[in-house]
């Protein structure tokens, strides 16, 4: 049996290999490019305009706030209250 030549094996870890350094450089370059592009985008007037439009679209109107406040803590309705409401609606229908 011939001895196995271990110099021709693939490395089990990338640490210490050229691909490790290139991978890290590529990752750092992507992070730097993304940071620079985001910084440039955040300083443009287009971003300010779009941000104002988006915040205006997502803002709640006074009517929505009032409606939500009405239904947030409703009082429990008793059977007597429901019967009175039905009776009043029937009286209004026959007038």
């Amino acid at each position: 049996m011939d001895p196995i030549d271990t110099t021709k094996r693939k490395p089990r870890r990338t640490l210490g290999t050229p691909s490790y350094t290139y991978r890290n450089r590529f990752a750092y370059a992507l992070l730097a490019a993304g940071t620079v592009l985001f910084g440039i985008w955040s300083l443009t007037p287009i971003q300010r305009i779009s941000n104002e439009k988006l915040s205006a679209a997502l803002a709640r109107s006074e009517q929505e706030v009032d409606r939500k406040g009405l239904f947030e803590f409703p009082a429990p309705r008793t059977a007597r209250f429901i019967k009175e409401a039905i009776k009043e609606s029937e009286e209004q229908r026959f007038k």
Side-chain angles (χ1 to χ4, degrees):
M1 245 169 60
D2 293 329
I4 298 172
D5 188 12
T6 58
T7 60
K8 306 237 190 277
R9 285 189 181 174
K10 292 183 189 177
R12 294 181 185 258
R13 297 184 191 137
T14 58
L15 184 64
T17 61
S19 64
Y20 180 78
T21 56
Y22 291 129
R23 181 195 68 183
N24 284 346
R25 287 180 185 169
F26 182 72
Y28 294 144
L30 281 179
L31 286 173
T35 304
V36 167
L37 287 175
F38 178 74
I40 291 171
W41 166 252
S42 65
L43 296 175
T44 59
I46 296 170
Q47 190 271 341
R48 290 185 188 136
I49 293 168
S50 63
N51 192 19
E52 289 171 1
K53 287 182 180 179
L54 180 66
S55 61
L58 294 178
R60 292 184 181 169
S61 66
E62 234 179 277
Q63 186 179 12
E64 286 180 64
V65 172
D66 291 343
R67 184 176 289 179
K68 189 167 185 173
L70 283 174
F71 292 108
E72 209 165 51
F73 296 109
R77 297 184 181 197
T78 60
R80 190 174 113 219
F81 174 78
I82 295 171
K83 286 178 186 176
E84 287 177 6
I86 292 171
K87 192 176 186 181
E88 286 178 15
S89 66
E90 287 176 356
E91 287 175 4
Q92 288 178 355
R93 216 181 306 157
F94 292 124
K95 282 186 179 181

